[in-house]
Amino acid sequence: MAAQDDAPFLRIEGVSKSFGTFEAVKNVSLTVGKGEIFSLLGGSGCGKTTLLRMLAGFETPTKGRIFLDGHDMAAVPPWERPVHMMFQSYAIFPHMTVEANVGYGLKHEVGLSKADRAARVAAMLDLVQLSPFAKRKPHQISGGQRQRVALARALARQPKLLLLDEPLAALDKKLREHTQFELMSIQERTGVTFIVVTHDQEEAMTLSDRIAVMDKGEVRQVGTPTEVYESPSSRFVAGFIGSVNSFEATVVGREASHLRLDVPALGGEVLTRDMPGLVAGQNVSLAVRPEKLRITKDRPEGPNCLAGHVKDLAYFGKDSLYRIALPGALVQAHAVNARRGDEGARIADWDDAVWVSFDPSSAIVLVD
Amino acid sequence: MSRGRFARWFDMRGWTLLLIGAPYVWLVILFLLPFLIVVAMSVATNTPTAPPFSYGGDHPWINLEPFSRVLTDGLYLRAFLTSIMNAFVAMVLCLLIGYPMALGLTRVSKSWRTILLMLVILPFWTSFLLRVYAWMGLMGKNSWFNGLLTDFWNFLVPLDWAIRSVPMMHTNFAVVLVMVYTYLPFMILPLYASLERLDPTLDEAAMDLGSRPYQVFLDVTLPQSIPGIIAGGMLVFIPAAGELVIPSLVGNASQPMIGKIIQDEFGQARDWPMASAVAVALLVLMVVPTMIYSRYQAKAEGAK
Amino acid sequence: MKRSPVFLVSILCFGFAFLYIPILSMIVYSFNASRLATVWGGFSTKWYVSLMSNEAVIKALVLSVQIAVVSATIATILGTMAGITLARFTKFRGRTLFSGLVTAPLIMPEVITGISMLIFFILMADWIGWPGQRGFTTITLAHITFCMIFVTTVVSARMVQTDRAIEEAAMDLGSRPWQVMFDITLPVISPAIISGWLLAFTISLDDVVISSFVTGPGSTTLPLLVWSKVRLGVTPDINALATLMIVTVGIGVAAAGIILHRSEKRRLAEERLAFRNND
């Protein structure tokens, strides 16, 4: 759905930000298309919030430039930017009603009549389904409703860019899932470009068209949710998004369309998908996601079969997590509990001897 | 929308400059400058001119005589000693009364606590002078309170020792008593603030581990309330040491406190340099406990 | 709730008796018919009548209230600016000196503040011919200076607790910094500003020491008048004056406390309700 023009809508060019000697953002370059939901994902202190605040104008880049719709934003103060933000704390004005909060930004809109303003506020309240609460004060509404007030308020001035700082972090788990889809549908209806800062990888995966994974002020990978999950570019990204079993490995050579690796921890050689640019003898990492590992009682056909025994297992309902001791490593494997049954129906039990196998195409080879 | 260059400058920088600048300039002119004048005055020479000071002349430009007099003249040393003693005793008494009161406040029910706290704060809002005055009414020879104390004393001691009234007014005892009275809320409030934060389960844990209540107090409650004790102590000691009004009303004129000395040097003796030197000395005396206090606070902040 | 130990309850009783018996005694004796202020001679309200007709007292009261209103108002404006500065601008040249300047007057003995201001005013008059005469102006200037420190303390404490994001949100929505201040910051911290003003008003109204230094001929504030009268001993009309002042303040503070308590309770109830209706 992201209709990408030729010239990117938002272009961040080599932006850095230092606070004293601490470099919060290091030489970040990104482009975001019009109408995209773009996430900045990373742990605390990775620089994602600083980057967002530079887009809003609260911080000035130490180096680099930011272009929005072709205009250089450097000298534009926050109050003149067509960029609005939904704050992590929601930052609802406590002394104003819901209605006044949503209408606050409109009072700066020159040439907007009182009636137009009221109509715009009403439309916004309708959009976030808060019309019955228009006259309430912020302390008289719930957390989820406050989140929607913040969203309506930021959207009321029809920004070119909406910045969302941890939009769902303050909500409880049930509400979060519901709100996620609501955010996406509102984005679809308004067509505003969203930039979402989050530390929650699941949130980033479901919400975004594209994700930028950040660490220590740097962007480590930019891609669609599938790209960053299935083809992470580095050990950091692989480990940050989802869980992963990772092992040191050495390239042995190529055969057919596969790559042969020597993995000491797995007690031998394995086959993986080929990756260009690798030479024999090179040190790499092998990463396999827990759900890509198959557990069987009998040795299956095909390559990459490893013998071990069940060290631990945890039952989660829809799936189970096995920890399997191989000769040189402990690996985690997820198995879906597709069949309904009592405890005897599970694949394997504590201390059972099992085979762990994986498809060459589902293994990830990481250089970085 | 085209806007003037001034408006743009005002939005970006001017407004902040105004916000910081106005109070800054005010304090520099009306607080810092007068204070620096006093410091400069303390090394000037007293002359019979108007205004009564000069630099240079027969003396060197800097005249340290006022300071040497502060350190050697018995009048000043006695006044400093009286001030420190009175303030210190008042501080200790405030602590002894205020601590159990603050502790008691944390133990009463919530609705009582609101009322009692208001009663502690209420005197803050009433006239300081009138609170001192209230005690003058009680301490006088003919008052019911003095009569009560006299009767009590006469009941306890043999007839030969009987007195007609308790000599309270115009003594150092009266000064200390009224100081305790007027400054007690300054002690209770910080103590209450630090005691209220304590986790009551710590007490229970300590008792559960076999401590008796008094041991719990010594091992758990007291150490954790030290910041409150120091804050309260400073809040009582500092104004008490520089007190001018209380001694002038209930104190002994032959044992002046330092505030009175400063006032007299300035007013009656017209010796501005001397008055300033005594003031600077008093300030140095205040700076030491204040620094201890702020170090404690910094430590407490760091521990958090 | 834990049971309160007997010792703590009795010291609370003793402590509050200590705090309030002198005041109650003074109130009772203000209705004393006897000329001797400390000997009971029957009930009378004559001291209140004589107080009302005492022109010096009325004049001093009017002067004190005028000074207190003017200085509390200016002190609140300056103190609010300083409090916001202290809480919001963490980095600017001269910040260390600034934070020193807003704390030093709190620990400075009043005698020293008074004497330094007096010397300052005398020297200024000598050098630039201003202030020509000490009185209303000099007292007000002095009161503004130390009252604003209290306002600063109250306001900056409140600002530190206020979510900075609401100011950024307003700026983000198109308000210039000064608009943010009037639309958002000041309304949100208004309880602190009001209590700051009340604090400044009471402190100014109550000040003796600093006023005694910077006053001039003909400008006797109420505390200065009371001080000079009380130095000569206890008199029944001062009892009456004290009673009036304490009762007025007591009722005011109690009413304010009750109103605040009630609105806080209502607010909490509404928040609980909103939380329960969470959808």
Side-chain angles (χ1 to χ4, degrees):
Chain A
M1 54 147 290
Q4 308 228 6
D5 295 330
D6 288 298
F9 184 63
L10 172 70
R11 195 164 86 239
I12 300 170
E13 260 183 24
V15 162
S16 299
K17 175 72 188 176
S18 309
F19 298 103
T21 54
F22 173 68
E23 224 183 346
V25 173
K26 295 174 198 162
N27 194 23
V28 167
S29 295
L30 288 171
T31 57
V32 178
K34 201 176 171 95
E36 241 189 316
I37 301 188
F38 189 90
S39 288
L40 300 171
L41 174 64
S44 62
C46 74
K48 58 188 194 297
T49 302
T50 309
L51 188 58
L52 196 76
R53 290 174 62 82
M54 286 193 279
L55 292 176
F58 297 130
E59 312 281 356
T60 9
T62 319
K63 265 201 309 241
R65 295 200 292 176
I66 296 169
F67 291 95
L68 181 65
D69 213 3
H71 299 287
D72 188 353
M73 288 283 112
V76 183
W79 53 90
E80 283 170 9
R81 293 191 185 204
V83 173
H84 296 317
M85 181 149 161
M86 196 179 114
F87 288 79
Q88 181 173 11
S89 62
Y90 305 146
I92 308 290
F93 307 134
H95 58 300
M96 295 183 188
T97 60
V98 166
E99 201 174 39
N101 261 285
V102 174
Y104 182 78
L106 297 179
K107 72 174 210 163
H108 301 292
E109 229 139 275
V110 182
L112 195 67
S113 77
K114 230 177 173 174
D116 290 346
R117 228 172 97 178
R120 188 101 72 87
V121 171
M124 279 300 140
L125 287 174
D126 200 39
L127 180 73
V128 296
Q129 296 155 32
L130 277 179
S131 304
F133 302 96
K135 304 282 183 216
R136 294 257 189 117
K137 283 287 192 74
H139 70 270
Q140 296 167 318
I141 58 175
S142 69
Q145 290 165 340
R146 270 180 236 181
Q147 192 255 12
R148 274 147 44 199
V149 174
L151 181 64
R153 187 179 67 182
L155 284 171
R157 284 194 77 189
Q158 300 167 336
K160 289 183 175 174
L161 192 63
L162 185 72
L163 310 173
L164 300 99
D165 189 2
E166 302 277 4
L168 306 173
L171 302 178
D172 57 42
K173 205 175 169 195
K174 275 232 168 96
L175 200 55
R176 211 179 297 168
E177 276 177 22
H178 172 75
T179 312
Q180 235 165 39
F181 291 108
E182 204 172 70
L183 269 183
M184 289 163 76
S185 100
I186 286 174
Q187 194 271 344
E188 220 165 308
R189 270 184 282 168
T190 54
V192 175
T193 310
F194 276 27
I195 294 197
V196 182
V197 152
T198 179
H199 68 279
D200 182 332
Q201 42 119 347
E202 268 180 49
E203 191 177 308
M205 303 274 285
T206 30
L207 271 179
S208 335
D209 296 319
R210 284 192 307 142
I211 300 174
V213 183
M214 292 186 70
D215 178 42
K216 299 193 187 95
E218 284 172 293
V219 171
R220 302 298 296 266
Q221 188 175 3
V222 183
T224 63
T226 321
E227 279 165 6
V228 289
Y229 188 78
E230 300 291 350
S231 327
S233 64
S234 63
R235 258 172 277 193
F236 173 80
V237 175
F240 189 80
I241 306 217
S243 46
V244 74
N245 297 299
S246 100
F247 315 96
E248 298 296 317
T250 317
V251 178
V252 177
R254 288 204 165 75
E255 48 190 71
S257 59
H258 291 309
L259 198 63
R260 183 171 286 277
L261 300 180
D262 177 38
V263 188
L266 298 181
E269 299 187 343
V270 297
L271 283 181
T272 70
R273 201 166 38 176
D274 195 6
M275 229 180 103
L278 294 179
V279 293
Q282 190 171 349
N283 287 326
V284 294
S285 278
L286 171 73
V288 190
R289 299 227 179 252
E291 73 276 10
K292 305 276 179 343
L293 285 176
R294 263 193 316 275
I295 303 167
T296 46
K297 281 273 174 96
D298 306 310
R299 186 184 168 126
E301 296 285 308
N304 304 341
C305 295
L306 306 153
H309 66 271
V310 177
K311 184 105 194 297
D312 238 330
L313 70 87
Y315 175 70
F316 297 133
K318 67 177 195 296
D319 54 11
S320 298
L321 176 70
Y322 292 81
R323 299 181 68 182
I324 296 178
L326 300 177
L330 199 60
V331 297
Q332 296 195 347
H334 260 295
V336 178
N337 298 323
R339 275 187 307 165
R340 179 163 163 243
D342 52 35
E343 300 213 340
R346 63 164 74 102
I347 307 166
D349 219 325
W350 273 273
D351 297 326
D352 280 358
V354 290
W355 287 91
V356 176
S357 58
F358 59 91
D359 200 79
S361 66
S362 58
I364 308 159
V365 180
L366 299 165
V367 183
D368 189 3
Chain B
M1 185 167 57
S2 79
R3 302 176 58 247
R5 274 180 60 191
F6 174 76
R8 205 176 163 81
W9 172 84
F10 185 76
D11 287 346
M12 300 290 287
R13 307 223 352 107
W15 172 247
T16 315
L17 217 59
L18 179 71
L19 212 56
I20 300 175
Y24 209 141
V25 168
W26 184 285
L27 285 173
V28 165
I29 293 178
L30 278 136
F31 179 75
L32 186 61
L33 187 60
F35 172 70
L36 291 178
I37 291 175
V38 167
V39 174
M41 187 70 70
S42 67
V43 294
T45 309
N46 187 27
T47 56
T49 54
F53 73 99
S54 74
Y55 290 100
D58 298 339
H59 290 274
W61 194 77
I62 284 183
N63 177 20
L64 290 175
E65 199 210 315
F67 279 107
S68 70
R69 268 172 67 198
V70 168
L71 293 175
T72 52
D73 192 326
L75 171 73
Y76 305 115
L77 291 179
R78 262 199 308 280
F80 269 112
L81 207 65
T82 312
S83 297
I84 293 171
M85 279 304 291
N86 284 352
F88 184 76
V89 174
M91 180 180 81
V92 171
L93 288 175
C94 276
L95 182 64
L96 291 180
I97 302 171
Y99 200 103
M101 280 184 79
L103 200 59
L105 280 174
T106 64
R107 298 286 160 85
V108 295
S109 72
K110 220 173 177 135
S111 46
W112 266 105
R113 204 187 295 187
T114 318
I115 297 169
L116 292 182
L117 264 181
M118 202 153 86
L119 284 178
V120 173
I121 299 168
L122 196 61
F124 268 132
W125 296 89
T126 65
S127 167
F128 164 76
L129 198 56
L130 292 177
R131 275 180 286 146
V132 180
Y133 173 75
W135 268 103
M136 293 175 68
L138 290 188
M139 292 191 297
K141 280 198 183 74
N142 302 317
S143 75
W144 63 267
F145 181 73
N146 200 324
L148 212 68
L149 286 184
T150 311
D151 290 348
F152 184 62
W153 170 262
N154 290 348
F155 173 76
L156 286 182
V157 300
L159 263 180
D160 306 358
W161 291 8
I163 48 171
R164 294 192 53 195
S165 67
V166 184
M168 283 200 281
M169 279 294 278
H170 308 299
T171 59
N172 266 334
F173 168 77
V175 173
V176 171
L177 177 70
V178 176
M179 279 178 177
V180 171
Y181 177 69
T182 47
Y183 294 133
L184 186 58
F186 287 112
M187 181 62 95
I188 295 176
L189 291 176
L191 278 177
Y192 171 77
S194 72
L195 286 171
E196 196 227 354
R197 273 204 303 261
L198 298 189
D199 182 356
T201 55
L202 285 180
D203 282 21
E204 283 157 18
M207 269 189 270
D208 186 56
L209 294 169
S211 290
R212 287 163 190 288
Y214 76 90
Q215 285 171 322
V216 173
F217 174 76
L218 289 180
D219 295 344
V220 179
T221 315
L222 191 62
Q224 292 189 83
S225 58
I226 283 176
I229 294 177
I230 291 174
M234 292 298 113
L235 285 176
V236 172
F237 183 83
I238 289 176
E243 190 54 61
L244 180 65
V245 175
I246 296 175
S248 82
L249 294 178
V250 301
N252 182 347
S254 64
Q255 279 180 289
M257 282 176 61
I258 207 70
K260 174 78 175 143
I261 296 286
I262 295 176
Q263 196 191 29
D264 286 351
E265 287 296 343
F266 188 82
Q268 286 160 24
R270 265 183 80 72
D271 190 342
W272 290 14
M274 195 61 221
S276 302
V278 177
V280 171
L282 174 62
L283 209 60
V284 170
L285 204 72
M286 301 281 144
V287 165
V288 177
T290 310
M291 271 164 69
I292 296 173
Y293 171 49
S294 54
R295 182 176 304 173
Y296 246 100
Q297 250 193 343
K299 230 199 225 167
E301 294 286 310
K304 246 187 258 167
Chain C
M1 201 70 223
K2 232 181 298 181
R3 259 192 309 135
S4 354
V6 180
F7 168 69
L8 290 178
V9 170
S10 41
I11 195 99
L12 272 180
C13 293
F14 167 78
F16 282 105
F18 176 62
L19 282 176
Y20 282 92
I21 282 179
I23 294 177
L24 291 178
S25 165
M26 183 166 68
I27 293 175
V28 169
Y29 274 89
S30 73
F31 296 103
N32 187 2
S34 165
R35 236 190 140 43
L36 290 164
T38 52
V39 182
W40 187 252
F43 181 85
S44 161
T45 53
K46 64 178 175 185
W47 303 114
Y48 287 89
V49 178
S50 85
L51 193 69
M52 292 304 164
S53 53
N54 186 334
E55 265 181 45
V57 168
I58 303 293
K59 217 180 117 197
L61 177 67
V62 169
L63 179 71
S64 278
V65 170
Q66 281 172 341
I67 290 173
V69 167
V70 174
S71 38
T73 306
I74 300 177
T76 302
I77 295 170
L78 288 170
T80 303
M81 292 167 105
I84 291 174
T85 298
L86 214 55
R88 286 292 181 263
F89 305 120
T90 47
K91 272 176 274 177
F92 61 88
R93 250 176 302 153
R95 150 110 198 171
T96 318
L97 175 64
F98 186 75
S99 48
L101 283 178
V102 294
T103 41
L106 285 176
I107 54 163
M108 184 87 106
E110 284 180 313
V111 189
I112 299 180
T113 311
I115 203 168
S116 64
M117 292 231 168
L118 175 55
I119 292 178
F120 171 75
F121 288 136
I122 294 175
L123 292 184
M124 288 304 279
D126 205 39
W127 291 337
I128 63 169
W130 177 93
Q133 202 190 350
R134 288 193 298 282
F136 184 90
T137 315
T138 49
I139 298 176
T140 306
L141 287 175
H143 283 193
I144 292 169
T145 308
F146 71 86
C147 286
M148 72 176 270
I149 301 305
F150 290 91
V151 181
T152 305
T153 313
V154 175
V155 167
S156 76
R158 179 68 185 228
M159 283 296 284
V160 168
Q161 287 170 6
T162 314
D163 184 7
R164 191 178 182 155
I166 61 168
E167 290 161 75
E168 289 180 335
M171 206 185 278
D172 185 68
L173 290 167
S175 290
R176 290 152 217 293
W178 59 271
Q179 289 170 321
V180 174
M181 173 112 155
F182 287 106
D183 285 355
I184 309 295
T185 317
L186 293 182
V188 168
I189 62 167
S190 59
I193 295 176
I194 293 169
S195 53
W197 189 90
L198 286 173
L199 194 61
F201 180 80
T202 357
I203 290 170
S204 166
L205 200 63
D206 193 28
D207 173 66
V208 203
V209 176
I210 294 173
S211 303
S212 77
F213 280 102
V214 298
T215 188
S219 299
T220 308
T221 63
L222 192 58
L224 288 178
L225 183 76
V226 172
W227 197 22
S228 64
K229 283 192 84 157
V230 164
R231 270 201 242 216
L232 305 173
V234 179
T235 58
D237 53 339
I238 299 288
N239 280 337
L241 179 69
T243 303
L244 281 180
M245 287 179 74
I246 284 170
V247 168
T248 313
V249 169
I251 289 172
V253 171
I258 288 167
I259 291 169
L260 278 179
H261 185 66
R262 287 248 172 94
S263 69
E264 186 62 21
K265 246 167 113 175
R266 196 178 57 224
R267 197 190 157 83
L268 282 176
E270 282 175 354
E271 262 166 24
R272 262 201 301 278
L273 199 70
F275 185 74
R276 224 179 300 142
N277 293 344
N278 205 338
D279 52 339

